Amino acid sequence: MPDGSDIQVRMCEVKIGSGDDVLRAILGSCVGIGLLWRRRGLYGMAHCLLPESPQGAPGDGAKYVTDAVPTLLSMMELDRARQDEVEAVIAGGACMVQHAKAPRHGLIGEQNARMALQLLAQTRIKVVHVEVGGDSGRQLVIDCAEHQFVVKTIGRAT
């Protein structure tokens, strides 16, 4: 990849790629949201830690899913009129900690995935792939040159 970059999207980050770039995130209970704007050759990825900000006020970045979706749309300069040109993929949201009984507040990975789906449902963006839950991590990869994504399961050590 002489002209492209291998872009690691770390926890609480939002990154944009194009050309020969490859976006990657390693996800456990975090959720990865990938946006593919093939017509424009522009791709975005957010790596979200928690479903929503306790303050409720929108912010920048991707610590919270509620901030990540608007941040992605802004960074990609994607207005409502063109959202139907974009596809989304959601991955991660696993239960990485074994609980004797489910936590009172619910599993954070499930909450992250549910919030991502809920927010994308409020847009005109079509969700084309969802791979969430379970007890294994995942890697979300978006290859900008090939205009494709892949979700790889990362097995747990025994």
Side-chain angles (χ1 to χ4, degrees):
M1 290 186 308
D3 296 334
S5 297
D6 190 29
I7 302 170
Q8 297 296 319
V9 184
R10 292 179 175 76
M11 193 179 304
C12 304
E13 290 184 338
V14 179
K15 300 282 179 98
I16 302 299
S18 62
D20 290 328
D21 295 335
V22 177
L23 299 163
R24 300 176 193 275
I26 302 290
L27 307 158
S29 61
C30 290
V31 70
I33 303 168
L35 296 184
L36 297 87
W37 196 352
R38 291 181 174 105
R39 181 178 290 175
R40 189 165 167 212
L42 186 62
Y43 303 85
M45 187 182 295
H47 186 154
C48 309
L49 179 65
L50 297 167
E52 60 187 316
S53 169
Q55 290 84 10
D60 290 333
K63 180 175 184 179
Y64 305 104
V65 175
T66 52
D67 294 343
V69 171
T71 298
L72 272 169
L73 297 177
S74 174
M75 288 176 72
M76 294 177 75
E77 299 178 1
L78 181 57
D79 59 35
R80 183 135 181 98
R82 304 193 84 186
Q83 288 176 358
D84 60 344
E85 298 176 5
V86 177
E87 296 174 332
V89 58
I90 300 172
C95 178
M96 301 305 292
V97 177
Q98 301 305 322
H99 300 280
K101 64 178 192 173
R104 183 176 78 247
H105 54 77
L107 298 173
I108 198 70
E110 290 176 2
Q111 292 176 45
N112 285 336
R114 192 169 36 250
M115 182 61 72
L117 286 165
Q118 178 183 328
L119 290 176
L120 286 169
Q122 296 171 10
T123 70
R124 297 175 61 203
I125 297 169
K126 180 180 178 185
V127 178
V128 295
H129 188 82
V130 178
E131 197 167 325
V132 298
D135 61 2
S136 295
R138 294 178 178 86
Q139 181 183 42
L140 174 58
V141 179
I142 298 176
D143 184 326
C144 302
E146 296 296 323
H147 312 286
Q148 296 296 322
F149 69 89
V150 65
V151 179
K152 300 174 186 177
T153 300
I154 302 169
R156 293 180 72 100
T158 55

